[in-house]
Amino acid sequence: MQNPHVYALSNNSLLLDASHLSTSGTLSIQKKIWSLANHCKKDNSFIDIVPGMNSLTLYLKQDIELAKWLEQLPAIWNNIKPNEFVAKHHKIKTHYNGADLNYVANFHSLSIDDVINLHSEPQYAVLFLGFQPGFAYLNGLNKQLFTPRRSEPRLKVPKGSVAIGADQTAIYPADSPGGWHIIGQTDIPLFDATQKSPCLIQPGDTLEFIPVSVGI
């Protein structure tokens, strides 16, 4: 059985790296990472726990515990089951009226309705959060919609933009620069710093896009 690599990043932080494990089951590896993160959250040893793509970063409250976790984490990984993680499902009401909707349709020789149907049919899994607070990288985009990023990124992508970049789709939680193709818009707030859990969507959650209007 292959084990993930576990490294010390500093005197009070460590990284579990599973990127070298089988790539045939990306989602199954991520599910195990989410289960491990959930397991570690039940322990009072950590300041922060950050799931990433094929990785988990842990920040300890006390550096004296670093050696213990470097030793124990691989064993916990081997014993933990992916189904120990319970995800939330989100229904994202989406106006398919994005500035790049026509471009994506033309790039793939599809109709606008085809793009909307192909984008809204899957149930997506949240692989990890990154780029900006609340920005969820989603797994499950139909291959017919894989679209290279824009050659010239926009200086401002509006908050709530639903976009496609290469083989993934995502929602911009706030106004920001971005190079993904905007195909729609949602009003659902994804990040609120005043809340106990600022990010509405978490790694391991699932979501689906619900069309509420079509075309531009």
Side-chain angles (χ1 to χ4, degrees):
M1 179 185 297
Q2 279 189 306
N3 286 327
H5 299 313
V6 181
Y7 308 96
L9 296 178
S10 69
N11 63 347
N12 73 327
S13 63
L14 61 158
L15 171 71
L16 180 140
D17 177 12
S19 60
H20 62 289
L21 302 181
S22 174
T23 57
S24 61
T26 299
L27 191 54
S28 64
I29 294 294
Q30 286 301 114
K31 285 181 177 180
K32 198 160 185 177
I33 287 171
W34 303 328
S35 294
L36 180 60
N38 198 45
H39 175 88
C40 291
K41 285 177 183 177
K42 298 174 184 178
D43 195 289
N44 196 36
S45 297
F46 302 101
I47 299 170
D48 199 8
I49 297 169
V50 185
M53 187 64 182
N54 297 317
S55 69
L56 182 67
T57 306
L58 303 166
Y59 297 89
L60 289 158
K61 293 181 179 178
Q62 299 181 15
D63 55 15
I64 195 173
E65 293 196 327
L66 182 64
K68 180 189 80 172
W69 283 101
L70 285 171
E71 180 181 352
Q72 290 186 0
L73 211 56
I76 298 173
W77 170 272
N78 286 334
N79 292 326
I80 206 156
K81 305 297 181 185
N83 58 8
E84 292 178 23
F85 180 84
V86 179
K88 293 182 180 179
H89 183 69
H90 306 269
K91 294 185 177 182
I92 307 297
K93 293 182 180 180
T94 304
H95 301 271
Y96 283 95
N97 56 1
D100 299 318
L101 183 58
N102 273 323
Y103 173 86
V104 172
N106 291 334
F107 183 85
H108 296 288
S109 299
L110 298 169
S111 69
I112 287 178
D113 284 344
D114 288 337
V115 173
I116 294 168
N117 291 334
L118 289 169
H119 187 264
S120 60
E121 281 175 355
Q123 178 171 291
Y124 296 91
V126 181
L127 294 178
F128 64 103
L129 304 182
F131 174 54
Q132 59 174 276
F135 190 99
Y137 287 84
L138 306 177
N139 180 75
L141 182 66
N142 191 300
K143 291 182 179 180
Q144 289 181 263
L145 295 180
F146 287 8
T147 312
R149 292 173 175 81
R150 291 170 55 91
S151 57
E152 294 185 10
R154 289 184 171 90
L155 295 178
K156 181 181 178 181
V157 176
K159 175 182 178 180
S161 292
V162 177
I164 291 173
D167 60 350
Q168 291 187 320
T169 188
I171 310 165
Y172 283 77
D175 294 350
S176 74
W180 293 26
H181 296 281
I182 303 169
I183 62 169
Q185 182 76 24
T186 182
D187 298 325
I188 293 177
L190 299 179
F191 180 77
D192 185 348
T194 65
Q195 298 298 312
K196 183 178 180 180
S197 296
C199 297
L200 174 68
I201 299 172
Q202 296 292 327
D205 285 356
T206 58
L207 65 80
E208 59 184 307
F209 293 96
I210 308 297
V212 294
S213 66
V214 298
I216 56 175

